[in-house]
Amino acid sequence: MICYQCGMDAGKEEFCPGCHADLRIFRKIEHISNAYYNDGLQKANVRNLSGAVISLKQSLKFNKYNTDARNLLGLIYYEMGEVVEALSEWVISKNYQQQDNRASGYLDAIQKNRSTLENINQTIKKYNQALAYCHNGSRDLAVIQLRKVLNMNPNMLRAQQLLALLYMEDEKYDQAKKTLRAAGKIDTDNTTTLRYLKEVNARLKEKNTGKKKKDDDLISYQSGNETIIMPKRFKESSIGSTLIYILIGLVVGVAVTAFLIVPGVKAGFQAESKKQQLEATDTINTNNQTIESLNKQISDMQAQLDSAQSNQDEVQTQINSYEGLLNAYVTFTGGDVLAAGDALAAVDSSKLSESAQGVYNTIKDQVDQKYKETLYNTGYSAYSKGDYETAINDLKKITDMDEAYSDGSAAYYLAQSYRKSGDTESAKPYYQYIIDNYPDTERASTARSYVDAQQ
């Protein structure tokens, strides 16, 4: 088991051998997360996708690093037609686990297929356009858009439910029921689908009851192999009345044709023309919305990537600090003061636990003075021998820690080493430090002459 605090492999220990963190509660949390994951997996196997989503979200609530649960949640979103949510879960999963992660394969399969990406973008755009038509009261255009969406992505559950709702508004209950049954095959226990289906069945029952009442006014009898259906009250007409009825029917037919059918045909042509114009406008809007949607998705995914990378960098910094502290302790106990000092310089004490900071402070108090003394001796010796590169390396470490060390001697010989190695620009700040802080010394006079010469 990996320690949540320092990142060390703790095995089956109850306390981390590195930072002594209590891992018992963390193990319980991990077991709860796995239990919710198993529950979600069982529900997904019987296509209870809504229930599986709830269980997997609970699993991630207890352990956000459970990549198996996150990958399965992405697959369920993808199966329900929620592609953007699926991609988001896989991107987060990939950032939490870089190696041996199935999410990498899922993302590559989608990103390498340009037609799939384009199909996803068009589906989202058309669904949003259908919502806009619904808000504007254009239900017929919304139905057209949703049919296009389902042709492109038959598993988009939200589109199935919205289309069924529009059919119910138009009292097309048979079509609504067919659509809801298709939605039920995607997610068997979706609450919204079941609620709509219950309402449709109730409406169909009322409609069938009304038909039966009308059928009570008819009678039927058998004539040979044929069944004759006729009204209960039937009066046989004479030839004269029959002719009159025929003439009245012709007159009414001509009138209906002149005043109803012809204007209706004209209105139909006009409506069709308007619909084609709206579809052309919709195509233009589609391209603009596609670009906008893609830009937003890129921004959201980049923000998620940055957040995940920041968390990963924070953990890595903490691990490096503990490694540096361990190296400092080992080298210090072995008597290598220089190596211990270099290791301590790489430790960020703010990332350590309280007990680890105590170890850090103890080692630092004992190492610092010997470290600076050893560096000064090796640096001055190298300067005396003309090895200015080594002198600069050792003396620079001292001045970074304590510029006033040995009454400014380290800063003075560092400036001399820079000057004699030909780097007068780097020497100047240290000469100026000697002039400002030790003005009445011989070194200050020497430093002033070199600064004046440079100017």
Side-chain angles (χ1 to χ4, degrees), residues 257-300:
T257 302
F259 295 102
L260 296 179
I261 296 178
V262 173
V265 171
K266 290 182 179 179
F269 281 122
Q270 292 175 352
E272 183 65 24
S273 176
K274 183 179 180 181
K275 185 181 294 185
Q276 291 177 358
Q277 183 179 1
L278 287 173
E279 289 182 353
T281 304
D282 174 56
T283 302
I284 296 172
N285 293 334
T286 292
N287 295 330
N288 294 332
Q289 290 180 1
T290 299
I291 296 171
E292 183 179 352
S293 175
L294 284 173
N295 288 333
K296 186 177 184 304
Q297 292 175 42
I298 291 171
S299 299
D300 292 343

Side-chain angles (χ1 to χ4, degrees), residues 54 91 96 127 133 155 240 249 267 382 409 439:
I54 294 173
V91 168
Y96 283 147
Y127 178 77
Y133 285 146
N155 284 356
S409 296

Side-chain angles (χ1 to χ4, degrees), residues 371-390:
Y371 179 64
K372 290 188 282 189
E373 182 180 346
T374 304
L375 281 176
Y376 180 77
N377 291 335
T378 57
Y380 181 75
S381 176
Y383 169 77
S384 301
K385 295 176 182 179
D387 184 2
Y388 301 121
E389 182 178 354
T390 302

Side-chain angles (χ1 to χ4, degrees), residues 120-149:
I120 292 170
N121 295 331
Q122 290 295 324
T123 301
I124 295 170
K125 179 269 302 178
K126 291 183 181 298
Y127 178 77
N128 291 334
Q129 187 62 55
L131 286 177
Y133 285 146
C134 289
H135 288 306
N136 294 331
S138 303
R139 292 203 299 268
D140 54 342
L141 295 177
V143 169
I144 293 173
Q145 287 293 346
L146 290 171
R147 285 175 177 171
K148 292 180 181 178
V149 169

Side-chain angles (χ1 to χ4, degrees), residues 29 36 43-44 47 59 64 90 126 128 138 163 167 181 189 198 216 240 261 272-273 276 292 317 343 416 429 431 451:
I29 293 173
Y36 275 115
K43 291 178 179 178
R47 297 203 69 83
S59 174
K64 67 178 181 180
W90 291 335
K126 291 183 181 298
N128 291 334
S138 303
L163 180 59
Y167 282 146
R181 283 180 174 174
D189 288 340
K198 180 179 179 182
D216 291 341
I261 296 178
E272 183 65 24
S273 176
Q276 291 177 358
E292 183 179 352
T317 302
Q416 289 285 77
Y431 280 138
V451 171

Side-chain angles (χ1 to χ4, degrees), residues 35-57 68-80 184-190:
Y36 275 115
Y37 165 69
N38 291 331
D39 183 60
L41 184 60
Q42 290 177 359
K43 291 178 179 178
N45 286 333
V46 295
R47 297 203 69 83
N48 181 5
L49 302 187
S50 299
V53 168
I54 294 173
S55 296
L56 293 172
K57 284 184 176 179
D68 288 335
R70 197 175 294 279
N71 291 342
L72 179 57
L73 181 59
L75 286 173
I76 291 174
Y77 278 139
Y78 192 86
E79 180 65 16
M80 295 169 67
K185 292 179 181 179
I186 301 171
D187 185 3
T188 56
D189 288 340
N190 186 275

Side-chain angles (χ1 to χ4, degrees), residues 118-399:
E118 180 63 23
N119 188 58
I120 292 170
N121 295 331
Q122 290 295 324
T123 301
I124 295 170
K125 179 269 302 178
K126 291 183 181 298
Y127 178 77
N128 291 334
Q129 187 62 55
L131 286 177
Y133 285 146
C134 289
H135 288 306
N136 294 331
S138 303
R139 292 203 299 268
D140 54 342
L141 295 177
V143 169
I144 293 173
Q145 287 293 346
L146 290 171
R147 285 175 177 171
K148 292 180 181 178
V149 169
L150 294 175
N151 283 334
M152 299 169 71
N153 185 1
N155 284 356
M156 190 169 184
L157 190 62
R158 287 189 297 174
Q160 297 272 20
Q161 293 170 342
L162 181 57
L163 180 59
L165 192 60
L166 292 173
Y167 282 146
M168 291 167 64
E169 285 288 319
D170 293 335
E171 298 184 359
K172 298 177 180 178
Y173 300 119
D174 291 329
Q175 290 177 276
K177 188 172 183 178
K178 180 180 178 182
T179 304
L180 290 171
R181 283 180 174 174
K185 292 179 181 179
I186 301 171
D187 185 3
T188 56
D189 288 340
N190 186 275
T191 306
T192 303
T193 302
L194 295 175
R195 188 172 71 249
Y196 289 174
L197 190 59
K198 180 179 179 182
E199 181 66 21
V200 168
N201 288 331
R203 298 287 180 87
L204 284 173
K205 186 176 181 181
E206 293 176 1
K207 190 175 180 181
N208 292 334
T209 303
K211 285 184 178 179
K212 288 181 180 178
K213 290 181 179 180
K214 291 181 180 179
D215 291 343
D216 291 341
D217 294 333
L218 302 176
I219 60 173
S220 63
Y221 62 91
Q222 201 73 19
S223 177
N225 293 328
E226 296 181 354
T227 300
I228 307 300
I229 300 174
M230 61 183 294
K232 286 183 178 180
R233 298 176 179 83
F234 177 76
K235 182 179 179 181
E236 187 175 353
S237 301
S238 63
I239 296 176
S241 60
T242 301
L243 291 175
I244 293 173
Y245 291 149
I246 292 173
L247 291 175
I248 293 174
L250 291 173
V251 172
V252 171
V254 172
V256 168
T257 302
F259 295 102
L260 296 179
I261 296 178
V262 173
V265 171
K266 290 182 179 179
F269 281 122
Q270 292 175 352
E272 183 65 24
S273 176
K274 183 179 180 181
K275 185 181 294 185
Q276 291 177 358
Q277 183 179 1
L278 287 173
E279 289 182 353
T281 304
D282 174 56
T283 302
I284 296 172
N285 293 334
T286 292
N287 295 330
N288 294 332
Q289 290 180 1
T290 299
I291 296 171
E292 183 179 352
S293 175
L294 284 173
N295 288 333
K296 186 177 184 304
Q297 292 175 42
I298 291 171
S299 299
D300 292 343
M301 289 185 179
Q302 188 61 49
Q304 294 173 0
L305 279 172
D306 293 342
S307 176
Q309 187 63 44
S310 176
N311 293 335
Q312 185 177 359
D313 293 343
E314 182 74 14
V315 173
Q316 188 60 47
T317 302
Q318 191 174 30
I319 293 173
N320 292 339
S321 296
Y322 277 98
E323 289 178 350
L325 180 60
L326 181 62
N327 291 335
Y329 179 78
V330 171
T331 52
F332 174 70
T333 54
D336 191 346
V337 177
L338 285 177
D342 290 339
L344 282 178
V347 174
D348 184 355
S349 60
S350 64
K351 305 299 182 184
L352 301 176
S353 65
E354 186 176 349
S355 58
Q357 285 181 352
V359 176
Y360 171 81
N361 293 331
T362 300
I363 297 175
K364 184 173 177 61
D365 291 341
Q366 299 181 43
V367 167
D368 272 2
Q369 188 59 36
K370 292 182 180 180
Y371 179 64
K372 290 188 282 189
E373 182 180 346
T374 304
L375 281 176
Y376 180 77
N377 291 335
T378 57
Y380 181 75
S381 176
Y383 169 77
S384 301
K385 295 176 182 179
D387 184 2
Y388 301 121
E389 182 178 354
T390 302
I392 289 170
N393 182 61
D394 292 345
L395 295 172
K396 182 70 168 58
K397 291 179 181 179
I398 298 175
T399 56

